[in-house]
Amino acid sequence: MINKMITDTINEIQKHGDFKADIALVLGSGLGNFVESLSQTSRLSFSDIPGFPVSTVEGHSGQLVHGFLGDVPVLVNSGRVHFYEGYTLEQVVYPIQILQALGAKTIILTNAAGSIRKDYTPGDLMLITRFLNLTGHSVYSHQPEPEQVFDPHILEIVQQIANKKDIPLKLGSYAGLNGPSYETPAEIRFLRLKKADAVGMSTVHEAMAAFQAGIQVLGISCLTNYAAGILDQPLNHAEVMETGQRVREDFAKLLTALVQSLSR
Ligand code: HPA
């Protein structure tokens, strides 16, 4: 059952245009530019949507956008909130519930992440095949977390699209931590032992909430930097933002092809 808070949020959103679509995207740090690939956009600031959590982090512009990728309608959450900002888990995943209430049957979650492997270089896109929820919190409170939230069939389709369009795409496991500090080199060595390929501070809760709600969910990381200790140099937030801009083109190509294919 859709609760009153969701109904109020949806009613307010619908006053501003026809925000409905089967496919939705959530854009992570530095990836907000993707909305420029859309046509006929309607935009609504998260801060103007009652009940919607608003991010305080640089690189998250915080808008709900409706538009078209080619002829396919999509909903885009440009920006997200993180647990480390002081929001509850319910607030972190509220935008996923709203996307579902606006019609989303498939949600593509994107993020910026640090690479834990030397052969996955900054600027690579990585399809998340599984994740480690290392945040110590979960929407699956007192229940086992699902073994696999990303449907193997969809993972296969994404790889085929990337191959066909000649878009380099790595595959890997994403370790979700709370942040907001970047990890120590020792923590990254630990994650490597645990077979993680990338590390970040988002996505795991949204992915599980979407799965729990029966939404088909996909995760794509944009590897913006080598994680701490992989190279002999410190990392900084500016580097994360800058690399996000560089992979913009491949990212837009992949998402466009993916959305076209999912809409068929
Ligand atoms: N660690 C955690 N989160 C991140 C990183 C990182 O190296 N890069 C982008 N998000």
mmCIF file of all heavy atoms in Angstrom, residues 166-194:
data_model
loop_
_atom_site.group_PDB
_atom_site.id
_atom_site.type_symbol
_atom_site.label_atom_id
_atom_site.label_comp_id
_atom_site.label_asym_id
_atom_site.label_seq_id
_atom_site.Cartn_x
_atom_site.Cartn_y
_atom_site.Cartn_z
ATOM 1 N N ASP A 166 30.799 -1.000 -28.636
ATOM 2 C CA ASP A 166 32.227 -0.758 -28.424
ATOM 3 C C ASP A 166 32.501 0.168 -27.228
ATOM 4 O O ASP A 166 33.361 1.048 -27.296
ATOM 5 C CB ASP A 166 32.807 -0.124 -29.698
ATOM 6 C CG ASP A 166 34.147 -0.745 -30.020
ATOM 7 O OD1 ASP A 166 34.539 -1.679 -29.303
ATOM 8 O OD2 ASP A 166 34.807 -0.265 -30.962
ATOM 9 N N ILE A 167 31.741 -0.022 -26.179
ATOM 10 C CA ILE A 167 31.939 0.783 -24.967
ATOM 11 C C ILE A 167 32.649 -0.090 -23.936
ATOM 12 O O ILE A 167 32.117 -1.126 -23.534
ATOM 13 C CB ILE A 167 30.586 1.264 -24.386
ATOM 14 C CG1 ILE A 167 29.806 2.055 -25.439
ATOM 15 C CG2 ILE A 167 30.797 2.086 -23.123
ATOM 16 C CD1 ILE A 167 28.332 2.221 -25.108
ATOM 17 N N PRO A 168 33.861 0.296 -23.532
ATOM 18 C CA PRO A 168 34.571 -0.536 -22.553
ATOM 19 C C PRO A 168 33.777 -0.619 -21.250
ATOM 20 O O PRO A 168 33.311 0.395 -20.740
ATOM 21 C CB PRO A 168 35.892 0.212 -22.325
ATOM 22 C CG PRO A 168 35.962 1.272 -23.372
ATOM 23 C CD PRO A 168 34.580 1.516 -23.882
ATOM 24 N N LEU A 169 33.595 -1.838 -20.766
ATOM 25 C CA LEU A 169 32.807 -2.027 -19.541
ATOM 26 C C LEU A 169 33.431 -3.144 -18.718
ATOM 27 O O LEU A 169 33.539 -4.280 -19.173
ATOM 28 C CB LEU A 169 31.357 -2.386 -19.906
ATOM 29 C CG LEU A 169 30.378 -2.582 -18.757
ATOM 30 C CD1 LEU A 169 30.149 -1.277 -17.988
ATOM 31 C CD2 LEU A 169 29.037 -3.114 -19.262
ATOM 32 N N LYS A 170 33.867 -2.798 -17.513
ATOM 33 C CA LYS A 170 34.396 -3.811 -16.610
ATOM 34 C C LYS A 170 33.233 -4.399 -15.807
ATOM 35 O O LYS A 170 32.151 -3.820 -15.760
ATOM 36 C CB LYS A 170 35.403 -3.161 -15.649
ATOM 37 C CG LYS A 170 36.573 -2.457 -16.345
ATOM 38 C CD LYS A 170 37.533 -3.465 -16.900
ATOM 39 C CE LYS A 170 38.939 -2.958 -17.110
ATOM 40 N NZ LYS A 170 39.111 -2.076 -18.253
ATOM 41 N N LEU A 171 33.492 -5.524 -15.178
ATOM 42 C CA LEU A 171 32.499 -6.150 -14.298
ATOM 43 C C LEU A 171 33.101 -6.251 -12.920
ATOM 44 O O LEU A 171 34.298 -6.516 -12.805
ATOM 45 C CB LEU A 171 32.214 -7.585 -14.739
ATOM 46 C CG LEU A 171 31.593 -7.849 -16.079
ATOM 47 C CD1 LEU A 171 31.289 -9.336 -16.207
ATOM 48 C CD2 LEU A 171 30.315 -7.049 -16.236
ATOM 49 N N GLY A 172 32.293 -6.090 -11.895
ATOM 50 C CA GLY A 172 32.904 -6.260 -10.590
ATOM 51 C C GLY A 172 31.976 -6.125 -9.415
ATOM 52 O O GLY A 172 30.789 -5.850 -9.531
ATOM 53 N N SER A 173 32.601 -6.325 -8.283
ATOM 54 C CA SER A 173 31.913 -6.312 -7.009
ATOM 55 C C SER A 173 32.164 -4.961 -6.326
ATOM 56 O O SER A 173 33.298 -4.486 -6.273
ATOM 57 C CB SER A 173 32.487 -7.468 -6.194
ATOM 58 O OG SER A 173 32.056 -7.376 -4.889
ATOM 59 N N TYR A 174 31.099 -4.385 -5.814
ATOM 60 C CA TYR A 174 31.149 -3.036 -5.214
ATOM 61 C C TYR A 174 31.032 -3.154 -3.698
ATOM 62 O O TYR A 174 30.071 -3.754 -3.198
ATOM 63 C CB TYR A 174 29.994 -2.222 -5.789
ATOM 64 C CG TYR A 174 29.764 -0.849 -5.192
ATOM 65 C CD1 TYR A 174 30.366 0.273 -5.747
ATOM 66 C CD2 TYR A 174 28.902 -0.660 -4.100
ATOM 67 C CE1 TYR A 174 30.132 1.548 -5.224
ATOM 68 C CE2 TYR A 174 28.660 0.605 -3.575
ATOM 69 C CZ TYR A 174 29.274 1.702 -4.145
ATOM 70 O OH TYR A 174 29.036 2.963 -3.636
ATOM 71 N N ALA A 175 31.995 -2.614 -2.997
ATOM 72 C CA ALA A 175 31.904 -2.590 -1.543
ATOM 73 C C ALA A 175 31.294 -1.263 -1.115
ATOM 74 O O ALA A 175 31.847 -0.200 -1.419
ATOM 75 C CB ALA A 175 33.284 -2.767 -0.918
ATOM 76 N N GLY A 176 30.149 -1.327 -0.447
ATOM 77 C CA GLY A 176 29.490 -0.108 0.031
ATOM 78 C C GLY A 176 29.844 0.132 1.483
ATOM 79 O O GLY A 176 29.563 -0.704 2.345
ATOM 80 N N LEU A 177 30.501 1.275 1.741
ATOM 81 C CA LEU A 177 30.865 1.665 3.104
ATOM 82 C C LEU A 177 30.098 2.927 3.470
ATOM 83 O O LEU A 177 29.556 3.600 2.587
ATOM 84 C CB LEU A 177 32.377 1.933 3.188
ATOM 85 C CG LEU A 177 33.281 0.720 3.444
ATOM 86 C CD1 LEU A 177 33.253 -0.255 2.283
ATOM 87 C CD2 LEU A 177 34.721 1.187 3.689
ATOM 88 N N ASN A 178 30.112 3.292 4.756
ATOM 89 C CA ASN A 178 29.359 4.488 5.144
ATOM 90 C C ASN A 178 30.027 5.784 4.734
ATOM 91 O O ASN A 178 29.349 6.765 4.455
ATOM 92 C CB ASN A 178 29.152 4.501 6.665
ATOM 93 C CG ASN A 178 28.002 3.605 7.075
ATOM 94 O OD1 ASN A 178 27.042 3.452 6.321
ATOM 95 N ND2 ASN A 178 28.089 3.007 8.249
ATOM 96 N N GLY A 179 31.377 5.841 4.714
ATOM 97 C CA GLY A 179 32.033 7.116 4.497
ATOM 98 C C GLY A 179 31.748 8.024 5.693
ATOM 99 O O GLY A 179 31.281 7.565 6.724
ATOM 100 N N PRO A 180 31.884 9.358 5.566
ATOM 101 C CA PRO A 180 32.323 10.045 4.359
ATOM 102 C C PRO A 180 33.841 10.106 4.197
ATOM 103 O O PRO A 180 34.314 10.674 3.223
ATOM 104 C CB PRO A 180 31.766 11.463 4.538
ATOM 105 C CG PRO A 180 31.747 11.667 6.014
ATOM 106 C CD PRO A 180 31.487 10.308 6.620
ATOM 107 N N SER A 181 34.588 9.525 5.102
ATOM 108 C CA SER A 181 36.042 9.531 4.887
ATOM 109 C C SER A 181 36.355 8.539 3.768
ATOM 110 O O SER A 181 35.626 7.552 3.586
ATOM 111 C CB SER A 181 36.767 9.088 6.158
ATOM 112 O OG SER A 181 36.383 7.772 6.497
ATOM 113 N N TYR A 182 37.399 8.820 3.008
ATOM 114 C CA TYR A 182 37.914 7.793 2.124
ATOM 115 C C TYR A 182 38.651 6.780 3.001
ATOM 116 O O TYR A 182 38.999 7.076 4.158
ATOM 117 C CB TYR A 182 38.832 8.417 1.063
ATOM 118 C CG TYR A 182 38.056 9.258 0.057
ATOM 119 C CD1 TYR A 182 38.211 10.641 -0.008
ATOM 120 C CD2 TYR A 182 37.151 8.656 -0.805
ATOM 121 C CE1 TYR A 182 37.480 11.404 -0.917
ATOM 122 C CE2 TYR A 182 36.415 9.405 -1.710
ATOM 123 C CZ TYR A 182 36.581 10.780 -1.763
ATOM 124 O OH TYR A 182 35.852 11.519 -2.656
ATOM 125 N N GLU A 183 38.895 5.604 2.452
ATOM 126 C CA GLU A 183 39.410 4.506 3.244
ATOM 127 C C GLU A 183 40.918 4.674 3.496
ATOM 128 O O GLU A 183 41.598 5.410 2.806
ATOM 129 C CB GLU A 183 39.160 3.182 2.513
ATOM 130 C CG GLU A 183 37.702 2.922 2.177
ATOM 131 C CD GLU A 183 37.124 3.850 1.121
ATOM 132 O OE1 GLU A 183 37.881 4.274 0.223
ATOM 133 O OE2 GLU A 183 35.931 4.189 1.211
ATOM 134 N N THR A 184 41.413 3.908 4.451
ATOM 135 C CA THR A 184 42.865 3.832 4.627
ATOM 136 C C THR A 184 43.389 2.750 3.674
ATOM 137 O O THR A 184 42.638 1.849 3.280
ATOM 138 C CB THR A 184 43.238 3.409 6.066
ATOM 139 O OG1 THR A 184 42.716 2.087 6.283
ATOM 140 C CG2 THR A 184 42.674 4.363 7.103
ATOM 141 N N PRO A 185 44.686 2.811 3.337
ATOM 142 C CA PRO A 185 45.256 1.736 2.514
ATOM 143 C C PRO A 185 45.033 0.357 3.143
ATOM 144 O O PRO A 185 44.768 -0.609 2.430
ATOM 145 C CB PRO A 185 46.738 2.105 2.446
ATOM 146 C CG PRO A 185 46.750 3.600 2.560
ATOM 147 C CD PRO A 185 45.644 3.922 3.538
ATOM 148 N N ALA A 186 45.087 0.266 4.456
ATOM 149 C CA ALA A 186 44.877 -1.040 5.111
ATOM 150 C C ALA A 186 43.441 -1.531 4.888
ATOM 151 O O ALA A 186 43.202 -2.719 4.656
ATOM 152 C CB ALA A 186 45.172 -0.929 6.609
ATOM 153 N N GLU A 187 42.490 -0.605 4.944
ATOM 154 C CA GLU A 187 41.092 -1.000 4.699
ATOM 155 C C GLU A 187 40.916 -1.478 3.255
ATOM 156 O O GLU A 187 40.183 -2.433 2.988
ATOM 157 C CB GLU A 187 40.149 0.178 5.001
ATOM 158 C CG GLU A 187 39.993 0.428 6.487
ATOM 159 C CD GLU A 187 39.409 1.790 6.829
ATOM 160 O OE1 GLU A 187 39.295 2.670 5.951
ATOM 161 O OE2 GLU A 187 39.080 1.980 8.012
ATOM 162 N N ILE A 188 41.603 -0.804 2.327
ATOM 163 C CA ILE A 188 41.498 -1.220 0.919
ATOM 164 C C ILE A 188 42.126 -2.605 0.721
ATOM 165 O O ILE A 188 41.582 -3.439 0.005
ATOM 166 C CB ILE A 188 42.136 -0.154 -0.013
ATOM 167 C CG1 ILE A 188 41.334 1.154 0.059
ATOM 168 C CG2 ILE A 188 42.230 -0.668 -1.457
ATOM 169 C CD1 ILE A 188 39.865 1.046 -0.351
ATOM 170 N N ARG A 189 43.226 -2.869 1.407
ATOM 171 C CA ARG A 189 43.828 -4.226 1.310
ATOM 172 C C ARG A 189 42.842 -5.267 1.837
ATOM 173 O O ARG A 189 42.701 -6.347 1.272
ATOM 174 C CB ARG A 189 45.153 -4.286 2.088
ATOM 175 C CG ARG A 189 46.300 -3.559 1.407
ATOM 176 C CD ARG A 189 47.650 -3.947 1.989
ATOM 177 N NE ARG A 189 47.823 -3.547 3.388
ATOM 178 C CZ ARG A 189 48.189 -2.323 3.797
ATOM 179 N NH1 ARG A 189 48.459 -1.376 2.915
ATOM 180 N NH2 ARG A 189 48.319 -2.048 5.075
ATOM 181 N N PHE A 190 42.139 -4.925 2.893
ATOM 182 C CA PHE A 190 41.120 -5.824 3.449
ATOM 183 C C PHE A 190 40.009 -6.076 2.410
ATOM 184 O O PHE A 190 39.598 -7.205 2.167
ATOM 185 C CB PHE A 190 40.531 -5.195 4.725
ATOM 186 C CG PHE A 190 39.282 -5.869 5.235
ATOM 187 C CD1 PHE A 190 39.358 -7.021 6.006
ATOM 188 C CD2 PHE A 190 38.024 -5.357 4.937
ATOM 189 C CE1 PHE A 190 38.204 -7.654 6.457
ATOM 190 C CE2 PHE A 190 36.871 -5.976 5.387
ATOM 191 C CZ PHE A 190 36.961 -7.132 6.151
ATOM 192 N N LEU A 191 39.556 -4.982 1.770
ATOM 193 C CA LEU A 191 38.480 -5.138 0.778
ATOM 194 C C LEU A 191 38.934 -5.987 -0.400
ATOM 195 O O LEU A 191 38.155 -6.756 -0.968
ATOM 196 C CB LEU A 191 38.009 -3.758 0.285
ATOM 197 C CG LEU A 191 37.316 -2.887 1.340
ATOM 198 C CD1 LEU A 191 36.961 -1.525 0.749
ATOM 199 C CD2 LEU A 191 36.063 -3.569 1.874
ATOM 200 N N ARG A 192 40.221 -5.838 -0.746
ATOM 201 C CA ARG A 192 40.745 -6.630 -1.872
ATOM 202 C C ARG A 192 40.747 -8.117 -1.532
ATOM 203 O O ARG A 192 40.403 -8.962 -2.343
ATOM 204 C CB ARG A 192 42.141 -6.148 -2.241
ATOM 205 C CG ARG A 192 42.425 -6.465 -3.703
ATOM 206 C CD ARG A 192 43.467 -5.623 -4.292
ATOM 207 N NE ARG A 192 44.683 -5.707 -3.507
ATOM 208 C CZ ARG A 192 45.790 -5.086 -3.839
ATOM 209 N NH1 ARG A 192 45.828 -4.359 -4.929
ATOM 210 N NH2 ARG A 192 46.857 -5.188 -3.093
ATOM 211 N N LEU A 193 41.123 -8.402 -0.294
ATOM 212 C CA LEU A 193 41.077 -9.802 0.166
ATOM 213 C C LEU A 193 39.659 -10.353 0.088
ATOM 214 O O LEU A 193 39.452 -11.545 -0.125
ATOM 215 C CB LEU A 193 41.513 -9.886 1.635
ATOM 216 C CG LEU A 193 42.995 -9.924 1.923
ATOM 217 C CD1 LEU A 193 43.222 -9.912 3.442
ATOM 218 C CD2 LEU A 193 43.597 -11.194 1.328
ATOM 219 N N LYS A 194 38.694 -9.474 0.275
ATOM 220 C CA LYS A 194 37.287 -9.889 0.250
ATOM 221 C C LYS A 194 36.712 -9.851 -1.168
ATOM 222 O O LYS A 194 35.496 -9.911 -1.359
ATOM 223 C CB LYS A 194 36.442 -8.997 1.184
ATOM 224 C CG LYS A 194 36.866 -9.092 2.629
ATOM 225 C CD LYS A 194 36.580 -10.469 3.185
ATOM 226 C CE LYS A 194 37.277 -10.698 4.520
ATOM 227 N NZ LYS A 194 37.389 -12.126 4.850
#
